[in-house]
Amino acid sequence: MKYTIVDQTTCIACGACSVHAPDLFDYNDEGSAYSMLDQNSGNAPIPAPFESDALDAEQACPSLSIKIADHPFQGDPLKYEHH
């Protein structure tokens, strides 16, 4: 299973994620993208039919704000970043 979250501190609201994965991503009132699966906590698995859309959105994101991992993010988009 794969999980996704949006780093809202780097999101530039370009629209790429909602174009590539409209069933997964939307925008909040502040204009930042978020994962609709779980209000951007990164804990709900991406449904299998949408995994390729999520990967397309991750690759299309110019600010690298979409994160995808094999484990839940527990609300932290940088949880699996290598520092």
Side-chain angles (χ1 to χ4, degrees), residues 2 4 6-7 11-12 14 17 19 23 32-33 36 38 40-41 44-45 48-49 53 55-58 68 75 81 83:
K2 301 261 185 219
T4 188
V6 177
D7 184 346
C11 175
I12 60 171
C14 72
C17 60
V19 167
D23 295 303
S32 293
M36 295 187 295
D38 55 12
N40 209 52
S41 69
D53 290 348
L55 293 168
D56 288 346
E58 178 191 36
I68 296 177
E81 297 289 305
H83 299 284

Side-chain angles (χ1 to χ4, degrees), residues 20 46-57:
H20 291 278
I46 300 169
F50 300 119
E51 264 190 34
S52 65
D53 290 348
L55 293 168
D56 288 346

Side-chain angles (χ1 to χ4, degrees), residues 28-67:
N28 62 22
D29 292 339
E30 290 79 43
S32 293
Y34 70 96
S35 167
M36 295 187 295
L37 295 173
D38 55 12
Q39 295 302 305
N40 209 52
S41 69
N43 295 325
I46 300 169
F50 300 119
E51 264 190 34
S52 65
D53 290 348
L55 293 168
D56 288 346
E58 178 191 36
Q59 290 180 345
C61 180
S63 60
L64 307 177
S65 298
I66 298 173
K67 309 296 182 184

Side-chain angles (χ1 to χ4, degrees), residues 65-83:
S65 298
I66 298 173
K67 309 296 182 184
I68 296 177
D70 294 327
H71 303 284
F73 285 91
Q74 300 167 333
D76 180 3
L78 303 179
K79 184 173 179 73
Y80 304 110
E81 297 289 305
H82 300 288
H83 299 284

